[in-house]
Amino acid sequence: GAGVSQSPSNKVTEKGKDVELRCDPISGHTALYWYRQSLGQGLEFLIYFQGNSAPDKSGLPSDRFSAERTGGSVSTLTIQRTQQEDSAVYLCASSLRAGGTPYEQYFGPGTRLTVT
Amino acid sequence: EDQVTQSPEALRLQEGESSSLNCSYTVSGLRGLFWYRQDPGKGPEFLFTLYSAGEEKEKERLKATLTKKESFLHITAPKPEDSATYLCAVQIDRGSTLGRLYFGRGTQLTVWP
């Protein structure tokens, strides 16, 4: 079956511009996660959505970052007024659910964001 | 503070030379430990989930084990195609952060012919 897809695969933007990154999770997965991977750093949690519950935004680094998930499926991560330190690979993952037995998370290919 | 530490940072093996990668964790309320493989330019690929100390799982040349403080990923007779970065992550039992994974920085494995 289809895996997690992300678009665009690469995005180059100028400092100060806004960007939107999209994630299509695996069909039937109720939990969706965003992570960030910077050069030489581990994966850093940003935000996750579980069904209709309020999202866990505890990992968002600043109020320039926001995310939404429409219809329990597609998610968009928005970064406003981008800064050079925002340059990283943004990874989306989905799993069957977040609570109960810990389910494995399946990752998309990522969006490489470069802020010039 | 919760921590996940992987060692070594990099490992070079000759084809057929077996070895182990280590993931040590200091967390309270471990719910699960995950191993992923990541190839350059790609997202992490799920390998194993371990839930409790003493558990072992195998897949081809890989075997993952778990104790109360660490996990090992054993690679038996590796091949060049096993070259990748191997990531360890934990999920912990802590209220609103129930779903997130805490990742180590990974071990970059290179297997040469």
Side-chain angles (χ1 to χ4, degrees), chain A residues 4 26 29 31-35 43 45 47-50 91-99 101-108, chain B residues 31 34-37 43-49 51 89-92 97-103:
Chain A
V4 177
I26 293 172
H29 281 191
L32 184 148
Y33 312 79
W34 285 97
Y35 294 86
L43 273 81
F45 168 76
I47 185 171
Y48 92 84
F49 300 86
Q50 167 59 51
L91 291 159
C92 175
S94 71
S95 68
L96 277 173
R97 55 173 295 178
T101 301
Y103 290 98
E104 56 269 20
Q105 296 178 20
Y106 293 91
F107 284 81
Chain B
R31 300 185 70 243
F34 301 80
W35 281 99
Y36 286 85
R37 167 192 172 129
E45 174 189 348
F46 170 75
L47 293 174
F48 302 108
T49 309
Y51 297 104
V90 299
Q91 196 174 75
I92 62 176
T97 63
L98 202 59
R100 64 170 292 184
L101 293 177
Y102 295 80
F103 280 87

Side-chain angles (χ1 to χ4, degrees), chain B:
Chain B
E1 180 181 332
D2 299 319
Q3 282 198 345
V4 180
T5 305
Q6 292 188 247
S7 62
E9 291 185 9
L11 181 63
R12 285 177 55 85
L13 299 173
Q14 187 169 16
E15 184 172 5
E17 179 186 3
S18 301
S19 188
S20 296
L21 282 55
N22 177 263
C23 172
S24 63
Y25 58 94
T26 53
V27 302
S28 54
L30 179 74
R31 300 185 70 243
L33 185 142
F34 301 80
W35 281 99
Y36 286 85
R37 167 192 172 129
Q38 187 173 26
D39 292 296
K42 297 189 177 181
E45 174 189 348
F46 170 75
L47 293 174
F48 302 108
T49 309
L50 301 167
Y51 297 104
S52 58
E55 189 174 1
E56 299 182 351
K57 288 192 176 174
E58 289 188 63
K59 179 180 178 180
E60 296 180 353
R61 295 177 293 282
L62 300 177
K63 178 180 177 180
T65 62
L66 181 66
T67 72
K68 290 187 177 180
K69 294 185 177 181
E70 58 191 348
S71 176
F72 290 94
L73 185 65
H74 306 278
I75 303 177
T76 301
K79 298 182 178 182
E81 53 262 42
D82 294 324
S83 297
T85 296
Y86 290 84
L87 300 170
C88 169
V90 299
Q91 196 174 75
I92 62 176
D93 191 2
R94 182 176 300 163
S96 65
T97 63
L98 202 59
R100 64 170 292 184
L101 293 177
Y102 295 80
F103 280 87
R105 294 198 172 188
T107 293
Q108 185 174 3
L109 174 66
T110 304
V111 183
W112 48 285

Side-chain angles (χ1 to χ4, degrees), chain A residues 5-11 20-24 34 75 109-111:
Chain A
S5 60
Q6 294 186 244
S7 61
S9 55
N10 282 284
K11 177 71 176 180
E20 285 190 352
L21 312 180
R22 176 188 168 104
C23 172
D24 280 276
W34 285 97
S75 177
T111 294

